[in-house]
Amino acid sequence: MRKSPVLIVLIICSLFIGSKETVSINHNYKFYGEGTHWKATLNLIGRGSASSHYDEHQKDFVLEYKGEYSEISNSIVNYSYKSSGGEEGGFESPPGTKYIRTNEEGNGGDIQRKKEVIKVIVKWNGKEEIIPMKIQNDK
Protein backbone atom coordinates (compact mmCIF):
# COMPACT_ATOMS: atom_id res chain seq x y z
CA MET A 1 0.00 0.00 0.00
CA ARG A 2 1.44 3.32 -1.10
CA LYS A 3 0.92 6.48 1.01
CA SER A 4 0.42 9.82 -0.55
CA PRO A 5 3.39 12.28 -0.35
CA VAL A 6 1.05 14.96 1.06
CA LEU A 7 0.04 12.69 3.93
CA ILE A 8 3.71 11.95 4.75
CA VAL A 9 4.54 15.68 4.79
CA LEU A 10 1.57 16.39 7.08
CA ILE A 11 2.65 13.64 9.50
CA ILE A 12 6.23 14.95 9.60
CA CYS A 13 5.05 18.55 10.15
CA SER A 14 2.75 17.50 13.00
CA LEU A 15 5.66 15.76 14.70
CA PHE A 16 7.71 18.99 14.63
CA ILE A 17 4.81 21.13 15.84
CA GLY A 18 3.93 18.73 18.63
CA SER A 19 7.53 18.49 19.87
CA LYS A 20 7.93 22.19 20.72
CA GLU A 21 8.92 22.56 24.34
CA THR A 22 8.05 25.62 26.38
CA VAL A 23 11.20 27.34 27.54
CA SER A 24 10.90 28.74 31.04
CA ILE A 25 12.42 32.17 31.65
CA ASN A 26 13.43 33.13 35.18
CA HIS A 27 14.75 36.52 36.23
CA ASN A 28 16.01 37.87 39.52
CA TYR A 29 16.86 41.52 38.89
CA LYS A 30 17.99 44.17 41.35
CA PHE A 31 17.90 47.78 40.18
CA TYR A 32 19.59 50.36 42.41
CA GLY A 33 20.15 54.10 42.35
CA GLU A 34 21.24 56.81 44.72
CA GLY A 35 20.65 60.57 44.62
CA THR A 36 21.59 63.38 46.96
CA HIS A 37 18.71 62.80 49.40
CA TRP A 38 17.23 59.38 48.50
CA LYS A 39 18.23 55.80 47.64
CA ALA A 40 15.99 53.53 45.56
CA THR A 41 15.99 49.76 45.11
CA LEU A 42 13.72 47.59 42.96
CA ASN A 43 13.96 43.82 43.37
CA LEU A 44 12.14 41.87 40.69
CA ILE A 45 11.62 38.13 40.50
CA GLY A 46 9.77 36.86 37.47
CA ARG A 47 8.97 33.61 35.75
CA GLY A 48 7.49 33.16 32.34
CA SER A 49 7.38 31.25 29.11
CA ALA A 50 7.69 34.16 26.65
CA SER A 51 10.62 36.45 26.04
CA SER A 52 8.74 39.70 26.74
CA HIS A 53 6.09 38.90 29.38
CA TYR A 54 6.07 37.28 32.80
CA ASP A 55 3.53 34.64 33.71
CA GLU A 56 4.03 35.62 37.35
CA HIS A 57 6.18 38.21 39.12
CA GLN A 58 7.03 39.77 42.44
CA LYS A 59 8.24 43.37 42.83
CA ASP A 60 9.71 44.90 45.98
CA PHE A 61 10.43 48.64 45.85
CA VAL A 62 12.23 50.51 48.66
CA LEU A 63 12.80 54.25 48.81
CA GLU A 64 15.09 55.41 51.64
CA TYR A 65 15.63 58.97 52.83
CA LYS A 66 19.35 59.49 53.48
CA GLY A 67 18.91 62.23 56.10
CA GLU A 68 17.26 62.19 59.50
CA TYR A 69 13.65 61.05 59.70
CA SER A 70 12.69 64.28 61.49
CA GLU A 71 13.44 66.16 58.22
CA ILE A 72 10.53 64.41 56.44
CA SER A 73 8.32 63.40 59.39
CA ASN A 74 5.71 66.08 58.60
CA SER A 75 6.01 65.91 54.82
CA ILE A 76 4.00 64.52 51.95
CA VAL A 77 6.38 62.36 49.91
CA ASN A 78 5.28 61.60 46.32
CA TYR A 79 7.20 59.05 44.28
CA SER A 80 6.91 57.36 40.92
CA TYR A 81 8.95 55.29 38.50
CA LYS A 82 8.38 54.06 35.00
CA SER A 83 10.06 51.17 33.24
CA SER A 84 9.39 48.85 30.35
CA GLY A 85 7.62 46.67 32.94
CA GLY A 86 5.08 49.33 33.86
CA GLU A 87 4.58 52.42 35.97
CA GLU A 88 4.29 52.57 39.76
CA GLY A 89 3.90 55.35 42.24
CA GLY A 90 2.22 56.64 45.33
CA PHE A 91 2.62 58.93 48.30
CA GLU A 92 3.13 58.82 52.03
CA SER A 93 1.54 61.56 54.12
CA PRO A 94 3.50 61.68 56.39
CA PRO A 95 5.84 58.73 56.03
CA GLY A 96 5.96 56.56 59.14
CA THR A 97 9.71 56.01 58.80
CA LYS A 98 12.49 57.12 56.49
CA TYR A 99 11.75 54.00 54.38
CA ILE A 100 8.88 53.73 51.92
CA ARG A 101 8.20 50.17 50.78
CA THR A 102 5.81 48.67 48.27
CA ASN A 103 5.35 45.03 47.35
CA GLU A 104 3.42 43.54 44.50
CA GLU A 105 2.78 39.99 43.34
CA GLY A 106 0.80 39.18 40.28
CA ASN A 107 0.35 37.50 36.97
CA GLY A 108 1.40 39.04 33.70
CA GLY A 109 3.50 42.10 33.14
CA ASP A 110 6.27 43.12 30.81
CA ILE A 111 9.87 42.18 31.51
CA GLN A 112 12.23 45.01 32.40
CA ARG A 113 15.17 45.23 30.05
CA LYS A 114 18.55 44.58 31.66
CA LYS A 115 20.20 47.65 30.19
CA GLU A 116 17.43 50.12 30.87
CA VAL A 117 17.69 52.97 33.34
CA ILE A 118 14.62 53.34 35.52
CA LYS A 119 14.04 56.92 36.66
CA VAL A 120 12.53 57.38 40.11
CA ILE A 121 10.99 60.80 40.75
CA VAL A 122 10.61 61.87 44.39
CA LYS A 123 8.86 65.09 45.49
CA TRP A 124 8.76 66.38 49.08
CA ASN A 125 8.81 69.76 50.85
CA GLY A 126 8.85 71.66 47.55
CA LYS A 127 11.90 69.68 46.37
CA GLU A 128 12.28 67.15 43.59
CA GLU A 129 14.94 64.54 42.98
CA ILE A 130 15.34 62.19 40.02
CA ILE A 131 17.20 58.98 40.81
CA PRO A 132 18.40 56.77 37.93
CA MET A 133 18.33 53.07 38.85
CA LYS A 134 20.49 50.61 36.96
CA ILE A 135 20.64 46.85 37.20
CA GLN A 136 23.01 45.55 39.86
CA ASN A 137 22.62 41.83 39.20
CA ASP A 138 21.05 39.42 36.75
CA LYS A 139 20.48 35.89 37.95
Side-chain angles (χ1 to χ4, degrees), residues 33-45:
E34 190 169 336
T36 304
H37 302 283
W38 297 89
K39 295 179 191 179
T41 305
L42 174 64
N43 291 307
L44 177 65
I45 298 171

Side-chain angles (χ1 to χ4, degrees), residues 104-116:
E104 174 192 315
E105 289 186 33
N107 295 323
D110 291 335
I111 294 175
Q112 278 79 5
R113 289 184 218 94
K114 288 193 270 187
K115 297 193 186 237
E116 80 176 288

Side-chain angles (χ1 to χ4, degrees), residues 6-113:
V6 173
L7 181 61
I8 293 173
V9 170
L10 287 174
I11 291 171
I12 292 172
C13 287
S14 69
L15 290 174
F16 284 113
I17 292 171
S19 69
K20 271 190 175 179
E21 291 183 26
T22 303
V23 176
S24 181
I25 298 169
N26 296 308
H27 290 131
N28 184 354
Y29 291 163
K30 178 181 180 180
F31 289 88
Y32 176 80
E34 190 169 336
T36 304
H37 302 283
W38 297 89
K39 295 179 191 179
T41 305
L42 174 64
N43 291 307
L44 177 65
I45 298 171
R47 288 173 288 289
S49 56
S51 62
S52 63
H53 299 284
Y54 289 122
D55 292 334
E56 54 187 63
H57 68 275
Q58 178 180 343
K59 290 182 187 179
D60 297 307
F61 177 72
V62 178
L63 189 61
E64 177 187 353
Y65 186 67
K66 293 168 64 175
E68 296 296 321
Y69 170 66
S70 61
E71 297 171 14
I72 61 166
S73 63
N74 294 316
S75 304
I76 298 173
V77 178
N78 289 289
Y79 61 93
S80 65
Y81 66 91
K82 186 176 181 179
S83 71
S84 59
E87 188 170 349
E88 304 287 332
F91 69 93
E92 295 286 325
S93 173
T97 69
K98 61 190 261 173
Y99 300 94
I100 297 172
R101 292 184 167 95
T102 63
N103 302 54
E104 174 192 315
E105 289 186 33
N107 295 323
D110 291 335
I111 294 175
Q112 278 79 5
R113 289 184 218 94

